[in-house]
Amino acid sequence: VWLVASPWMLRYSSPDTVGLDIASWHFIIVGVVLLFLGFIALCAYEHWREWIDGAVAAWLIASPWILQYADMPRARWNAIICGLIIIAIAGSIVVSERWTQGTS
């Protein structure tokens, strides 16, 4: 939800929806993808979803330079910090699953 709202919350987008730049659209799309993946996990959990979350997070971290919005500090740091948080959460779930399976 934060990724979808962040263009307006961090004010690196215009207050209206007309003229959204590439960074704003990027955060909205990635946020919707992650929300969809979270919904899928609520319906039927599969551990592979955490690996997809990690891949999406890696893309999020690299995106400021790939999509050329690295000159927007708020958007760049938002992508990096959110990507690192997602990787940390997904990684901790993968590690805890492996640890739980190993001790059963």
Side-chain angles (χ1 to χ4, degrees), residues 2-8 11-14 19-31 59-60 63-65 67-79:
W2 168 255
L3 289 173
V4 173
S6 66
W8 295 279
R11 299 187 191 271
Y12 55 82
S13 177
S14 61
L20 287 175
D21 55 8
I22 189 73
S24 298
W25 278 113
H26 174 255
F27 283 107
I28 292 168
I29 292 167
V30 170
W59 162 254
L60 193 58
S63 67
W65 295 275
L67 298 177
Q68 298 178 352
Y69 65 88
D71 60 336
M72 299 169 61
R74 290 181 190 168
R76 181 184 65 235
W77 283 110
N78 188 40

Side-chain angles (χ1 to χ4, degrees), residues 80-100:
I80 293 168
I81 292 169
C82 289
L84 291 173
I85 290 170
I86 294 165
I87 286 173
I89 292 169
S92 69
I93 292 170
V94 168
V95 168
S96 69
E97 282 179 351
R98 288 193 179 177
W99 186 79
T100 305

